[in-house]
Amino acid sequence: MRLFYLFCLLAFSQLAFAQNVAIKEIELAGEKIIVHYDLDDANINNEYILDLYSNRDNFSAALLRVKGDIGTEVKPGKDKKVEWSVRDELGNYNGKIALELRGKVFTPIVKLQEFSVDKKYKRGKSYPIKWRPGNTNPINIELFKGTQRIAGEVNHPNSGSSSLSIPSDAERGDDYRLKITDTKNPSGIVYSQNFRVVPKIPMLIKVIVPLAVVGGAVFGLSGSGGESGGTAADTELPLPSFPTGN
């Protein structure tokens, strides 16, 4: 695959503080393109949404096969890097490639706090969740297992706290996550990382222990006899011995 780089643009659509962005290098590493850049900001607490575009579709859709300092919550700093898998994205494309890096200051509708995705969440229980609100719009808080919606609350005040209830009939799995949506802006969505749901009571191996029997069992045995039908004899049958522990 022969590639030619015409230009690389960096565009920020929302600038609230003094920023200085500099692309340091664009390199071809096998079938990947690596964009190196610096992102300086007077406010070190700012975060950015960054997406990489190409001229392949006239810069209309963000490239998907990217990783590194790209996407949401990119923090200012030196030596930032975006790695793009060209072959995976474009296949056997031959031609000229121009790249554009677009971004804006990232203001999430919520910023989850004290929510550990390494913790095991038990079904049938509720857990407090806290976040830092990004606006005052009501939000939907939904629990998903993979792509399946399991439970949720709509029009919850964006107040910074709520509770996560795991249904008692939820299947165990490690592909659960929270989806939080701005009710007035459907594109405003925040996902948590995946976390695990486990049974409330661990499965136990049930052991049946023989019960001790006190006394003997008395059975009536019939014997041969005359017209009276014979006589009944009460006979005690010995019980089998049970093993004793040491």
Side-chain angles (χ1 to χ4, degrees):
M1 180 171 58
R2 192 179 180 188
L3 302 176
F4 297 91
Y5 306 103
L6 291 183
F7 56 88
C8 184
L9 301 177
L10 183 63
F12 281 87
S13 58
Q14 295 181 3
L15 301 179
F17 299 88
Q19 291 99 4
N20 179 25
V21 182
I23 295 176
K24 300 166 56 179
E25 181 184 1
I26 299 177
E27 63 173 309
L28 177 63
E31 296 180 347
K32 297 180 180 180
I33 293 176
I34 302 176
V35 178
H36 301 266
Y37 70 94
D38 292 339
L39 175 57
D40 297 327
D41 193 325
N43 186 343
I44 60 174
N45 295 317
N46 271 349
E47 295 177 334
Y48 291 84
I49 299 175
L50 291 177
D51 288 300
L52 190 65
Y53 296 79
S54 81
N55 63 324
R56 182 69 175 84
D57 59 356
N58 199 26
F59 308 100
S60 61
L63 299 174
L64 299 177
R65 303 296 184 179
V66 293
K67 65 179 182 179
D69 299 306
I70 195 74
T72 61
E73 301 183 45
V74 178
K75 296 183 179 295
K78 300 288 186 181
D79 300 319
K80 298 291 182 178
K81 182 172 67 173
V82 181
E83 185 177 292
W84 176 35
S85 298
V86 185
R87 175 76 71 180
D88 293 342
E89 187 94 34
L90 302 183
N92 295 320
Y93 173 75
N94 292 309
K96 299 176 180 179
I97 287 187
L99 298 177
E100 180 176 337
L101 188 62
R102 300 178 189 169
K104 64 180 180 180
V105 176
F106 176 59
T107 306
I109 56 173
V110 300
K111 178 76 171 180
L112 287 171
Q113 298 176 327
E114 302 177 13
F115 184 77
S116 174
V117 295
D118 297 324
K119 180 178 179 178
K120 295 179 181 179
Y121 292 84
K122 296 180 180 180
R123 56 191 180 193
K125 295 192 66 176
S126 295
Y127 300 87
I129 54 176
K130 296 182 179 180
W131 65 86
R132 186 182 67 198
N135 58 41
T136 58
N137 296 339
I139 56 176
N140 297 334
I141 306 173
E142 299 171 288
L143 175 65
F144 276 77
K145 183 181 189 300
T147 59
Q148 180 183 4
R149 184 183 186 276
I150 303 300
E153 179 183 0
V154 298
N155 291 317
H156 184 87
N158 197 353
S159 56
S161 64
S162 183
S163 62
L164 168 63
S165 296
I166 308 296
S168 58
D169 59 350
E171 297 180 4
R172 67 173 62 192
D174 57 3
D175 56 345
Y176 284 84
R177 63 176 177 170
L178 289 177
K179 177 183 179 181
I180 302 176
T181 311
D182 188 330
T183 58
K184 296 185 178 181
N185 178 19
S187 63
I189 300 175
V190 171
Y191 287 99
S192 73
Q193 292 181 312
N194 287 359
F195 57 89
R196 179 178 298 180
V197 169
V198 298
K200 186 174 182 181
I201 301 177
M203 295 182 63
L204 300 177
I205 300 176
K206 296 182 179 180
V207 180
I208 301 177
V209 181
L211 299 177
V213 178
V214 180
V218 180
F219 297 88
L221 300 179
S222 61
S224 59
E227 296 180 358
S228 63
T231 60
D234 292 337
T235 305
E236 290 189 0
L237 299 180
L239 292 175
S241 59
F242 291 95
T244 60
N246 294 329

